[in-house]
Amino acid sequence: MKLSAAQAVEVLRAAGEPTRLRILALLAREELAVLELCGVLDQSQPRVSRHLKLLAEAGLVERFPDGAWVFYRLTAGGQAGELVREVLARLDANDPQLVRDAERLTAVFAERAQVASDYFARNAARWDEIRSLYVAEGDVEAAILKAAGPGPFRRLVDLGSGTGRMLTLLGPKAQVALGLDLSQQMLNIARGHVAEAGLKACELRHGDIFSTRLPDGEADLVVVHQVLHYLADPAAAVKEAARITAPGGKLLIVDFAPHKLEFLREQHQHRRLGFSDQEMRRWLAESGFAYTAVETLPPAREAGLTVKIWTAERAAARQRTAA
Ligand SMILES: C[S@@+](CC[C@H](N)C(=O)[O-])C[C@H]1O[C@@H](n2cnc3c(N)ncnc32)[C@H](O)[C@@H]1O
């Protein structure tokens, strides 16, 4: 339904203020936590929160709590959301203020990525131990094997491969396998594990999940295991993983259900405290997957985490019929 004139005025009034317009332009790039926005705008939390409240009341942004943090994103659909996107699309990409904001956002994330990368470098040797702290690994791995199916797979790609556990688990079902990770320390350990497991056709490469440089439809099994909750833009990583999933292929995303273990941000560099089915299904649907199966694995011990396996299957390419 179209907006009434009064509703349009309300939307434009909400957007029509310098800081709020900057916030909208930033959220058009990716979803952000209040503190991240404060860092980019160089404004206090109460001030930024007031602007966000106004934008949310006018239906321009959606708010989603994640543990003690609150994230915001532009409203997905609706007339108000479309009107704002229309306004943003008409802004000059070279506007000095917007360019500065975009640069600061990049710097904030680069700093965070550095802290996370130091964390992985420091903990690479202990990773297998850390991973098993909050989840019953045996159950999760059995469920992953089941979700992947019997194979054989032409090519397995493991994004954020860490110490290589997914490669040694699923690699035997694939003709060739590739693990991609940003951390050289993790890659070195993975090389040892893959060699120990006797996986011959398995390559480990330095690479970024946001731009893998792999061709479209590269793999018929793509795995993203316990990586998304560290990332600045998990939706973009899902999109890239989807892009390299071949027609007829599977994408397995394994991560946590929403939880409240706030210390994981401080001590283990988590950015998101889990993901909801609704959120993951939306990202996968936006990446062209019609159906996603979800497996839920409750914690085996107190204070453990619930693990989710989201399995998305890419429709097989239609066979061309002879004219
Ligand atoms: C929690 S570990 C999980 C590793 C492995 N998938 C597992 O489950 O054991 C997360 C891994 O993601 C990697 N990583 C983080 N950001 C990345 C990025 N942008 N691109 C590729 N790898 C990344 C880290 O270096 C780390 O090895």
Side-chain angles (χ1 to χ4, degrees):
M1 208 169 60
K2 297 223 168 180
L3 294 173
S4 68
Q7 287 167 325
V9 168
E10 195 195 339
V11 169
L12 293 169
R13 219 179 246 147
E17 194 277 339
T19 302
R20 290 201 289 275
L21 192 62
R22 287 168 68 196
I23 292 177
L24 291 168
L26 284 163
L27 293 180
R29 303 171 71 91
E30 59 202 84
E31 60 194 30
L32 292 167
V34 181
L35 282 179
E36 292 167 341
L37 277 165
C38 295
V40 175
L41 299 165
D42 199 19
Q43 294 191 14
S44 69
Q45 186 172 348
R47 242 179 117 172
V48 172
S49 294
R50 249 195 328 273
H51 284 306
L52 285 166
K53 185 164 179 279
L54 233 143
L55 290 170
E57 281 167 1
L60 306 193
V61 301
E62 291 169 32
R63 166 185 201 279
F64 61 106
D66 181 85
W69 285 21
V70 179
F71 284 83
Y72 285 85
R73 60 176 158 237
L74 281 194
T75 301
Q79 295 284 336
E82 278 174 30
L83 181 54
V84 162
R85 280 172 213 276
E86 179 72 31
V87 170
L88 292 173
R90 284 167 196 279
L91 295 180
D92 179 1
N94 296 316
D95 177 274
Q97 179 68 72
L98 300 182
V99 169
R100 261 198 309 278
D101 285 350
E103 284 170 357
R104 285 192 71 141
L105 180 62
T106 308
V108 165
F109 279 140
E111 199 179 310
R112 223 202 137 267
Q114 187 57 50
V115 176
S117 142
D118 293 347
Y119 165 81
F120 287 120
R122 256 194 336 272
N123 289 297
R126 284 183 58 220
W127 185 254
D128 294 340
E129 179 199 330
I130 292 176
R131 190 183 39 208
S132 62
L133 278 178
Y134 303 102
V135 293
E137 278 196 279
D139 296 352
V140 173
E141 291 184 356
I144 291 173
L145 281 169
K146 191 161 160 235
F153 298 98
R154 184 176 46 77
R155 187 161 172 79
L156 157 68
V157 172
D158 182 17
L159 298 173
S161 46
T163 52
R165 183 58 197 138
M166 290 300 110
L167 293 169
T168 54
L169 185 72
L170 296 165
K173 290 172 182 264
Q175 284 165 22
V176 288
L178 168 69
L180 218 75
D181 203 286
L182 262 192
S183 160
Q184 294 290 4
Q185 288 80 357
M186 286 287 193
L187 287 165
N188 287 340
I189 291 173
R191 285 189 185 101
H193 287 170
V194 159
E196 257 169 48
L199 280 180
K200 297 255 174 334
C202 180
E203 187 189 350
L204 281 146
R205 226 188 264 171
H206 184 253
D208 191 340
I209 196 167
F210 294 116
S211 56
T212 60
R213 303 199 190 164
L214 296 171
D216 291 356
E218 170 72 351
D220 51 353
L221 180 59
V222 178
V223 179
V224 185
H225 181 253
Q226 300 297 6
V227 180
L228 291 185
H229 57 255
Y230 294 101
L231 302 179
D233 192 355
V238 170
K239 203 166 165 197
E240 178 67 355
R243 186 188 66 74
I244 64 165
T245 307
K250 269 188 187 176
L251 167 58
L252 253 61
I253 296 182
V254 186
D255 218 294
F256 298 124
H259 63 86
K260 294 197 161 46
L261 302 190
E262 200 61 47
F263 73 92
L264 291 174
R265 288 201 225 263
E266 278 293 307
Q267 293 175 22
H268 295 281
Q269 299 308 316
H270 291 206
R271 177 173 183 263
R272 290 286 313 271
L273 299 187
F275 300 95
S276 68
D277 290 343
Q278 194 193 18
E279 182 171 39
M280 195 61 75
R281 279 213 161 102
R282 183 165 53 82
W283 290 341
L284 288 163
E286 284 166 5
S287 294
F289 290 99
Y291 174 74
T292 305
V294 186
E295 177 86 21
T296 302
L297 298 143
R301 68 191 83 150
E302 223 184 304
L305 293 169
T306 295
V307 172
K308 288 275 184 176
I309 303 173
W310 292 278
T311 308
E313 285 185 45
R314 163 98 50 232
R318 287 231 183 97
Q319 297 232 318
R320 285 191 186 195
T321 45

